[in-house]
Amino acid sequence: LATERIAQAQQILRENFKGWEHDADRMYHWLRDPVKSGWRASLLVAETRMGVVNGFALVLHFSRIATSFLDYIAVRNGIRGRGLGSALYEAVREHCLAAGMRRLYLEAEPDNPAWTSDPGELKRNRQRLRFYEYYGVRPVANTQYHLPLGENASYAYLLIDNLGHATPLPRAEARRAVRLILQTRFTELTNPAYIRRVVHSFRDDPVLLRPPRYVKRRTPRPPTRDGRLDRPYAMIINHKHIIHHVQDRGYEERPARVGALMKAMEKTRLFTAIKPKRYPERHITAVHSRAFVTFLKQICRTLPAGAPVYADTFPRRIPSRVPQRPHPDLAGFYCQDSFTPLDNGAYRAARASVDAALTGAEEILTGVPLAYALCRPPGHHAETAAYGGFCYFNNAAIAAHRLSRTGKTAILDMDFHHGNGTQEVFYRRNDVLTVSLHGNPESAYPYFSGFANETGEGDGQGFNLNIPLSEGIDDAAYIVALQRAIRRIRRFGPVYLVVSLGFDILRGDPTGFFSLTEEVLRQAGQRLASLRYPSLIVQEGGYDLRNLRRGATAFFQGWAS
């Protein structure tokens, strides 16, 4: 469906923008490869119930400076005058605000008769500028942006939409944005000398906009309202988790966890539910050993329903002693502890959990600012060839590996327990930074990893940061530790952020010993959102249902604020 919509938008671009057909050919690659382009592109479409695209807008997001550029907006020939242009532009504004943008830049052809000799074209240009003035959007004044580069180039105004913000545009902010737009989007049409001249021509501070010409000042501007678009964040739920239901007394990783989180997220009205896609096994074996994956698959198939198996023998793992047959007595070769069972549904549920995480990664790659993969079973304890801690496949690591093929990725693990599996997967890599806040492993599972002196090996030296925290730590001390983690992530400068989120850090969780309230999660959401990295949140632990509801609400409302 996405490919079909892109193809229809490409055709509308070719019909409306003669001479720029090459951009139609490049649109698909811009949407699929944000790092190579230098921006993150979003395609908004106005379509009929039958899937016919009647209009589109292509928006480029420069997240680091909280700025967007409206590259193209157009409707299909022959259907003008039906309000589609207004609907699209209002959707663009809503989308930019949801993505945390402060300004929206766009270009428009001039209404100056000296620069446009065709009367019909001049009329259309004036109508277009009148349309934007209705939204309070006007060309910048007293700059050289409009001047063409070369004899055959055309004039163009730069318009700025403050997206409802009352704060005037500072000169320094405008210069950064204009330089970035010209250097990346229009690199083929400019040169360094031209860019310097245009950027330095922004001398007014704050930047001045041209006085209104077409719309009276007293005309009320339409507000940017919610509702034209889906809710801004994506939530992907592993509904197949229910097939893994271990009813043994004391087994905290129960299906009710997902129900509690789903109800809490519905009340926030922040999420659009996305159905998980099915991904090939190669995504799992890119992180986990094939022998381990095959063993889990085969042994879970042989187990009768309702009869979980717990490992009780844990040998030193010698390559020559790899189990050659899927027998329950041999599970200890691949297991870390004695309380994580295998059952008839464990492999299938874990496989579906990976699908949820990968679907979330795919949403990030296509322009969603935040995706929440509600994974059960969790995954951050799963190592390359070992399961444990209620985890079978490492959902966050598999998704991070997928994202790292497109750009540098940072993982922040906020579960109470150290993500030993995530650390082990990336310990010798420098394209993925791993940072973890967790209970001191001297007294908290997994006991044998998570110490501060574990900083990486080989190429990965310095790309693993553990911040073990003491028993009973309070909100203020936790935020200090979080700020340390954030500083390290900023220095790394990732394109994407993956957060392994565990609500077992809250006071009262049966598996943790911190004294934190949901306020710490609200602040964490705010501070992480301020980084403005496209972010995938992967659900890990948290075993008190009340804490799950409160913690998730606080975290995501803090992020949205």
Side-chain angles (χ1 to χ4, degrees), residues 24-61:
D25 299 331
R26 297 190 291 184
M27 182 189 296
Y28 183 84
H29 300 289
W30 289 344
L31 291 163
R32 299 295 297 180
D33 193 356
V35 174
K36 185 176 180 180
S37 304
W39 57 71
R40 184 166 51 87
S42 296
L43 179 69
L44 286 71
V45 297
E47 62 183 9
T48 68
R49 292 185 179 181
M50 299 301 292
V52 176
V53 175
N54 283 329
F56 81 94
L58 181 67
V59 190
L60 313 181
H61 303 295

Side-chain angles (χ1 to χ4, degrees), residues 254-271:
R254 46 191 171 144
R257 299 175 62 239
V258 172
L261 289 166
M262 285 176 58
K263 289 179 181 178
M265 293 303 91
E266 287 171 4
K267 291 180 180 179
T268 68
R269 299 183 59 81
L270 292 171
F271 292 93

Side-chain angles (χ1 to χ4, degrees), residues 539-550:
Q539 185 60 50
E540 301 290 356
Y543 305 99
D544 179 274
L545 299 185
R546 187 181 183 189
N547 279 350
L548 288 173
R549 291 189 291 268
R550 288 181 170 183

Side-chain angles (χ1 to χ4, degrees), residues 357 360-361 364 371 373 394-404 408-414 422 426 432-435 489 494-501 528 533-540 559:
I364 295 301
N394 198 316
N395 309 306
I398 293 168
H401 176 74
R402 167 70 183 90
L403 291 170
S404 72
K408 289 198 305 182
T409 302
I411 303 177
L412 173 63
D413 195 317
M414 294 178 59
T422 306
F426 298 110
V432 177
L433 172 73
T434 49
V435 180
I489 292 169
V495 177
Y496 307 107
L497 175 65
V498 176
V499 179
S500 282
L501 184 61
L528 293 174
Y533 301 131
S535 300
L536 171 64
I537 314 300
V538 179
Q539 185 60 50
E540 301 290 356
W559 193 293

Side-chain angles (χ1 to χ4, degrees), residues 69-133:
F69 181 74
L70 177 57
D71 201 1
Y72 285 104
I73 183 169
V75 298
R76 191 180 295 278
N77 287 340
I79 59 170
R80 302 184 190 280
R82 301 184 188 178
L84 275 181
S86 297
L88 274 168
Y89 189 68
E90 290 173 17
V92 167
R93 300 183 91 205
E94 181 185 342
H95 176 67
C96 290
L97 285 170
M101 300 296 120
R102 288 194 299 264
R103 319 279 177 187
L104 172 65
Y105 291 72
L106 58 146
E107 287 189 351
E109 295 177 346
D111 56 356
N112 188 332
W115 300 338
T116 307
S117 57
D118 185 326
E121 184 178 341
L122 183 62
K123 180 180 179 181
R124 289 191 295 273
N125 293 352
R126 287 171 173 167
Q127 290 173 338
R128 191 173 294 112
L129 288 166
R130 179 183 295 110
F131 169 84
Y132 287 122
E133 253 188 41

Side-chain angles (χ1 to χ4, degrees), residues 12 40 69 97 122 195 200 285 353 375 379 479 502 515 546:
I12 295 173
R40 184 166 51 87
F69 181 74
L97 285 170
L122 183 62
I195 293 172
H200 291 154
T285 55
S353 208
C375 296
I479 292 298
S515 297
R546 187 181 183 189

